[in-house]
């Protein structure tokens, strides 16, 4: 009987000047999350909403070779599983619902280089993602009569993910190529 509905509106645009291009977008998202009452938890209705957006810059150093950078902001509302899971979990844990969760948020930045040639393409990007209010499962300090540790999802974590990714393809002949 639980439901999660969403509505979104967005706008984006691209501007170009000689060798520089700028893409930008803005999105408004609204959610209506409903969980019916159970013997353990009262009915829950959450209506999180937020603006997200991104900006992309590309500068063409020479034909086929571009420098790229992107920045964006996102959010993820708690889903039905986050809010209302009740019961046994792996690792001798027992999960209790948390109807008071807030949305997770992330800010992302990446920069790199991309080449598109006749017989070869490659891309190398460095990135970082900074999460706040990340939903994670934590011990409550209580134990069930069966000896399971009681856990609950909460907005307790901030985390940063950094790394790089790349890809390349090379046309060795008309019938053979190499991709990585």
């Amino acid at each position: 009987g639980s439901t999660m509905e969403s509505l979104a509106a967005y706008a984006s645009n691209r501007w170009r000047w000689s060798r520089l291009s700028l893409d930008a977008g803005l999105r408004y998202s609204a959610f209506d999350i409903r969980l019916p009452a159970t013997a353990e938890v009262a009915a829950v209705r959450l209506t999180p909403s937020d603006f997200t957006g991104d900006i992309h810059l590309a500068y063409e150093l020479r034909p086929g070779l571009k420098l790229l950078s992107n920045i964006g902001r996102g959010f993820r509302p708690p889903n039905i599983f986050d809010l209302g899971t009740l019961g046994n979990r792996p690792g001798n844990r027992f999960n209790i619902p948390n109807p008071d969760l807030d949305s997770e948020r992330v800010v992302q930045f990446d920069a790199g280089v991309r080449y598109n040639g006749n017989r070869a393409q490659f891309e190398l990007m460095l990135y970082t993602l900074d999460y706040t209010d990340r939903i994670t499962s934590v011990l409550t300090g209580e134990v069930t009569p069966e000896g399971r540790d009681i856990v609950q999802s909460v907005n307790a974590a901030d985390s940063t993910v950094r790394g790089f990714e790349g890809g390349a393809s090379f046309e060795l002949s008309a019938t053979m190529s190499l991709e990585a």
Side-chain angles (χ1 to χ4, degrees):
S2 300
T3 62
M4 182 174 185
E5 297 175 354
S6 65
L7 174 70
Y10 61 92
S12 64
N13 200 17
R14 173 175 288 165
W15 298 271
R16 290 186 189 221
W17 306 270
S18 185
R19 299 186 318 182
L20 179 68
S21 66
L22 170 71
D23 294 75
L26 183 65
R27 177 185 178 117
Y28 175 76
S29 300
F31 295 84
D32 185 4
I33 306 165
R34 297 175 190 231
L35 283 75
T38 66
E40 295 82 14
V41 179
V44 175
R45 181 175 185 201
L46 297 176
T47 56
S49 62
D50 207 345
F51 283 94
T52 57
D54 52 12
I55 298 171
H56 310 275
L57 282 171
Y59 183 77
E60 189 171 39
L61 295 171
R62 63 182 184 90
L65 182 62
K66 291 182 180 180
L67 291 177
L68 308 168
S69 67
N70 307 290
I71 188 166
R73 179 187 181 281
F75 89 111
R76 182 186 78 86
N79 61 37
I80 292 167
F81 179 82
D82 295 328
L83 294 164
T85 301
L86 175 68
N88 294 336
R89 304 295 300 144
N92 197 40
R93 298 176 301 150
F94 185 89
N95 197 80
I96 60 173
N98 182 358
D100 297 320
L101 288 174
D102 196 9
S103 297
E104 298 175 320
R105 289 164 176 75
V106 64
V107 174
Q108 167 269 330
F109 175 76
D110 61 67
V113 61
R114 179 181 296 149
Y115 174 73
N116 285 312
N118 291 332
R119 297 182 62 179
Q121 295 84 37
F122 74 85
E123 179 175 281
L124 180 62
M125 300 294 288
L126 301 172
Y127 63 86
T128 183
L129 298 108
D130 290 317
Y131 290 91
T132 57
D133 295 324
R134 194 167 54 82
I135 296 171
T136 188
S137 183
V138 298
L139 294 167
T140 65
E142 299 176 35
V143 179
T144 67
E146 296 81 25
R148 289 183 169 273
D149 293 319
I150 297 177
V151 295
Q152 186 176 47
S153 294
V154 297
N155 294 97
D158 293 340
S159 59
T160 300
V161 177
R162 292 185 179 103
F164 67 93
E165 63 182 17
S169 64
F170 303 95
E171 185 179 312
L172 302 174
S173 70
T175 59
M176 186 181 300
S177 63
L178 174 66
E179 293 187 29

